[in-house]
Amino acid sequence: MSDLDELLNHRGRSAQLGAYVTGVAFDTMGTLAVALGDGTLRLGAAYTAIAVHEGAVLSLAAHPEGGFITGGDDGRLMRTRPDGAAGQLQKFGSKWVEHVAGFAGKGPLLAAAVGKNLHLLSLAGEVLKTLEHPSTVTGVAFDAKGKRVAASHYNGASLWFAASGALVAPKLEWKGSHTGVVIHPAGEALVTTMQENALHGWTLPGAKHMRMSGYPAKPESLGFTKSGRWLATAGAESIVLWPFFGGGPMGKPPMELGMGDGVVKRVACHPRHEVVAAGFNTGMLLVADVTRERVLPVCGPGRGGITALAWNADGGQLAFGTETGFAAVVDFTQA
């Protein structure tokens, strides 16, 4: 146990926050936010408590101008500035704001999923477009240029042009409950997690189906590595990496790295290198170098299952939180 905890003990800054961690994120200035089930955000090195929602914080993302946006089960979309000042951007009645996202490049935008609707908003919180879906939106993702935004929902996904609000292509359909979505860094594919133990994907623009199954548990988290060569996923006893090169992933077996003592619940891909962090339901946290096929333990089990995981912008810091309210940030830049 002491060996597994060495990185956390020597390079970590941790706290017990007393409530389920629903999200972690770094803003554009490198400030850390930890979102909790008690309605608070904890900001910065001191984990300063900021009351933002009446009820749980359901979703968290960086605001393109600094600070954070959050959605809650109180129907509010909130912005919290780096100094801790919190204000309401929008109120959506009694409906939960379950997913939020921000795009910080040219033409910055905010997105908030409320029931069947995906709202695109200005940075000040003005609703610019409302995109309607056949069922509840379960995941949201902007592409790398912010020109397209994807939403997962029952029986498939929808991909929209953010500027016009028009569908990029006819709905991407596959029967079943789709629970999350990512877009390939080069825009070549869209992949969803599913309620069953599987992923489903479509090539872009051709919408050719890709079926990735065989998981022992639900793959609740996924992400493409920086190069787009690998899709890293949770849902197994190790990190499952599907090859998106050489004609893959169809017809090619996935690579598996970082066998742990339980099931991977969260993955987070490094912003600059082919490196993936993986958090297990036991509380174990690993970092895997995909190219070298090497694994580094960050901390051992025993602090509750990992529920949130994120790198900062340059990949020098990794933040995580657990179901028991433990949160930490580990610094990889120290000599």
Side-chain angles (χ1 to χ4, degrees), residues 42 55 86 95 106 128 207 231 328:
R42 302 300 183 97
K95 294 184 177 180
K106 184 179 179 181
L128 304 175
L231 177 67

Side-chain angles (χ1 to χ4, degrees), residues 241-302:
L241 294 135
W242 293 94
F244 273 68
F245 58 90
M250 291 298 89
K252 294 183 178 292
M255 177 168 64
E256 297 189 34
L257 283 178
M259 181 68 72
D261 61 342
V263 174
V264 177
K265 299 295 284 185
R266 297 290 183 271
V267 294
C269 292
H270 194 280
R272 295 187 177 179
H273 304 295
E274 298 293 273
V275 169
V276 181
F280 290 75
N281 62 341
T282 60
M284 177 178 280
L285 177 59
L286 306 174
V287 172
D289 184 322
V290 179
T291 303
R292 298 178 182 176
E293 298 187 28
R294 295 175 60 182
V295 176
L296 179 69
V298 178
C299 70

Side-chain angles (χ1 to χ4, degrees), residues 221-252:
S221 176
L222 77 171
F224 281 99
T225 60
K226 175 63 175 178
S227 68
R229 287 173 60 83
W230 299 96
L231 177 67
T233 73
E237 295 87 353
S238 58
I239 309 167
V240 177
L241 294 135
W242 293 94
F244 273 68
F245 58 90
M250 291 298 89
K252 294 183 178 292

Side-chain angles (χ1 to χ4, degrees), residues 11-319:
R11 300 189 177 207
R13 187 179 67 249
S14 63
Q16 177 52 246
L17 303 179
Y20 188 105
V21 177
T22 60
V24 293
F26 292 90
D27 76 352
T28 55
M29 293 177 281
T31 301
L32 171 68
V34 181
L36 299 178
D38 65 5
T40 66
L41 276 188
R42 302 300 183 97
L43 292 186
Y47 296 101
T48 303
I50 310 294
V52 289
H53 291 282
E54 298 173 3
V57 184
L58 300 178
S59 50
L60 167 69
H63 190 287
E65 293 182 332
F68 303 91
I69 56 171
T70 55
D73 57 12
D74 56 1
R76 295 192 297 167
L77 177 67
M78 300 287 289
R79 180 182 181 187
T80 302
R81 297 179 182 275
D83 63 2
Q88 179 177 296
L89 293 177
Q90 278 291 336
K91 180 76 166 75
F92 296 101
S94 60
K95 294 184 177 180
W96 293 6
V97 185
E98 294 193 73
H99 305 279
V100 296
F103 174 71
K106 184 179 179 181
L109 282 172
L110 306 178
V114 185
K116 298 179 181 180
N117 293 327
L118 176 60
H119 302 283
L120 299 182
L121 305 99
S122 70
L123 300 190
E126 176 191 1
V127 175
L128 304 175
K129 292 179 181 64
T130 297
L131 309 174
E132 297 183 8
H133 298 84
S135 57
T136 299
V137 174
T138 56
V140 178
F142 285 103
D143 71 9
K145 296 181 179 179
K147 293 184 177 180
R148 300 178 296 179
V149 61
S152 55
H153 46 76
Y154 195 75
N155 285 343
S158 297
L159 183 62
W160 306 85
F161 286 113
S164 66
L167 280 170
V168 174
K171 190 174 68 173
L172 305 170
E173 295 183 340
W174 186 261
K175 287 186 177 181
S177 180
H178 300 255
T179 57
V181 62
V182 292
I183 301 176
H184 187 276
E188 298 173 355
L190 181 151
V191 181
T192 62
T193 52
M194 297 196 69
Q195 186 68 22
E196 58 189 272
N197 300 351
L199 308 176
H200 197 82
W202 298 263
T203 60
L204 298 175
K208 180 181 177 181
H209 291 285
M210 295 178 284
R211 180 80 171 151
M212 290 157 276
S213 57
Y215 290 86
K218 295 173 187 175
E220 298 177 16
S221 176
L222 77 171
F224 281 99
T225 60
K226 175 63 175 178
S227 68
R229 287 173 60 83
W230 299 96
L231 177 67
T233 73
E237 295 87 353
S238 58
I239 309 167
V240 177
L241 294 135
W242 293 94
F244 273 68
F245 58 90
M250 291 298 89
K252 294 183 178 292
M255 177 168 64
E256 297 189 34
L257 283 178
M259 181 68 72
D261 61 342
V263 174
V264 177
K265 299 295 284 185
R266 297 290 183 271
V267 294
C269 292
H270 194 280
R272 295 187 177 179
H273 304 295
E274 298 293 273
V275 169
V276 181
F280 290 75
N281 62 341
T282 60
M284 177 178 280
L285 177 59
L286 306 174
V287 172
D289 184 322
V290 179
T291 303
R292 298 178 182 176
E293 298 187 28
R294 295 175 60 182
V295 176
L296 179 69
V298 178
C299 70
R303 298 172 180 87
I306 291 179
T307 54
L309 192 57
W311 296 94
N312 70 343
D314 65 9
Q317 295 185 326
L318 177 65

